[in-house]
Amino acid sequence: MSEIRDVHERTVEAPAEVVGSLLDRLSAADDPIFPTPAWEPMCLDGPLAVGAAGGHGPVRYSVAAYEPGRRVRFAFAPPDNGFHEMTVEPLGPGRCVVRHVLEQDLRGGRLLLWLAVVKAVHGTVVEEVFDNIERVAAGPVESPVRWSAWVRLLHRLNWGRAAAVDIPERAGLIRAALDRPAYQDAYRMELLPGMPRDPDGWTGILRDAFPVVAREGGELLMNVDTAGVTARASILVDDRYVTLSTVARADTPRGRLYWGVVRRVHPFMARLMLRRTHRGLALAAPSAGERALAESAVSSGGPENGLAG
């Protein structure tokens, strides 16, 4: 068995109480430091308090210790062991150090997985947390973390997949778009904090190559007719998901021949296009820290009154 101890720390030019107040918002709806939507958010089954359970992505843990404004420790859920912990320590009136410590006992395949995959991703996420803390509490980040080629590859390979679903009840436009469609399908992905909630922001799924023919609420409808096939595609954005739906009908012998071939690859392509756009928008979205600063500026009446000083 091998004991892993991984430590990251950064000095922040801001009072410890300011940084501690950001730590206290971990997992909240307005969490300003966990790096979403580029990474899956930290979610707990209740407010940040001892006993609250949850995690981020596939990593599961619960709050084992919590000192508001100073320290929070998360114990990994079985079969994992160990903990990860974040602390804030003052270095004077206007400076502090924020530290993240992870400790686990690993063996065999788990140790290899840590060394080959998890360590690089974990370190990147922690440094992005520090970037957001520095961004919100102290101002612009001089040297934000840069992803290595290995982290970029792992991120691409491990990004979520689109799930097949029924056309949503709320997708009224596409449900009424075509009389007696011969084919229909729908695929959805979960929205992450900071991702666009306007369906117009998602037309890149189809490379903006088709005209939008209707909009209603959180849905837009596109005409995707081609080669004797009458088809419509819908993008619906609701409170939790973005859903790509398609209905089609072959109207001519040429269309039936064309669709007989295309329908075999359509599910794969629909999933691929939705996943590609979902990841692209997540990477292009403002960081949690940038969103927090923007919201603070709006609520206080101007950028000069934001949190950073």
Side-chain angles (χ1 to χ4, degrees):
M1 185 172 289
S2 177
E3 180 175 316
I4 299 299
R5 178 175 170 84
D6 183 84
V7 181
H8 293 255
E9 64 178 42
R10 188 179 300 185
T11 299
V12 180
E13 300 297 328
E17 57 268 24
V18 172
V19 173
S21 70
L22 300 177
L23 181 66
D24 291 340
R25 291 160 63 186
L26 264 175
S27 81
D30 64 346
D31 183 343
I33 63 175
F34 204 85
T36 60
W39 303 97
E40 291 187 75
M42 177 185 287
C43 297
L44 301 176
D45 60 7
L48 188 64
V50 173
H56 60 277
V59 185
R60 303 287 93 187
Y61 43 76
S62 60
V63 180
Y66 178 44
E67 300 172 41
R70 184 175 179 274
R71 168 179 174 257
V72 59
R73 173 176 287 199
F74 300 95
F76 290 113
D80 287 329
N81 61 73
F83 67 89
H84 68 108
E85 174 180 86
M86 185 168 290
T87 58
V88 179
E89 297 178 10
L91 295 177
R95 301 177 76 215
C96 64
V97 60
V98 58
R99 182 178 296 109
H100 186 278
V101 177
L102 179 148
E103 290 189 5
Q104 282 188 293
D105 288 328
L106 302 175
R107 69 172 68 186
R110 288 180 179 271
L111 177 58
L112 291 176
L113 183 65
W114 164 262
L115 294 173
V117 176
V118 178
K119 183 177 182 179
V121 172
H122 166 77
T124 300
V125 172
V126 170
E127 291 298 327
E128 288 194 34
V129 169
F130 290 175
D131 283 352
N132 281 325
I133 289 173
E134 190 172 353
R135 185 173 287 119
V136 178
V141 182
E142 290 188 8
S143 300
V145 63
R146 294 184 180 275
W147 291 13
S148 68
W150 181 230
V151 168
R152 289 196 300 271
L153 177 61
L154 291 172
H155 188 272
R156 182 179 298 110
L157 293 175
N158 287 284
W159 196 252
R161 266 60 176 175
V165 295
D166 294 331
I167 293 179
E169 292 291 335
R170 290 183 56 181
L173 290 177
I174 198 163
R175 284 178 166 273
L178 209 61
D179 185 33
R180 298 188 303 277
Y183 178 90
Q184 62 183 37
D185 65 14
Y187 302 97
R188 76 182 184 191
M189 294 189 72
E190 191 165 2
L191 293 168
L192 302 176
M195 298 185 82
R197 261 53 181 180
D198 183 346
D200 281 291
W202 292 86
T203 55
I205 294 172
L206 299 178
R207 299 187 182 276
D208 297 305
F210 299 97
V212 175
V213 295
R215 289 180 177 83
E216 184 177 286
E219 182 188 15
L220 60 79
L221 185 71
M222 290 172 287
N223 182 329
V224 293
D225 290 352
T226 183
V229 176
T230 301
R232 300 291 181 269
S234 157
I235 297 172
L236 173 70
V237 180
D238 59 26
D239 293 338
R240 187 173 178 185
Y241 299 104
V242 54
T243 305
L244 172 66
S245 305
T246 306
V247 295
R249 185 185 65 229
D251 295 321
T252 66
R254 179 191 178 204
R256 286 189 286 275
L257 179 62
Y258 172 82
W259 185 245
V261 175
V262 170
R263 70 177 297 165
R264 297 177 181 274
V265 299
H266 170 79
F268 169 77
M269 293 303 298
R271 285 183 169 100
L272 177 65
M273 292 186 296
L274 177 56
R275 180 177 183 264
R276 181 197 64 218
T277 303
H278 188 272
R279 180 172 180 266
L281 289 174
L283 294 178
S287 70
E290 289 167 338
R291 297 196 306 273
L293 286 175
E295 291 166 6
S296 176
V298 169
S299 63
S300 60
E304 70 278 5
N305 295 318
L307 292 178

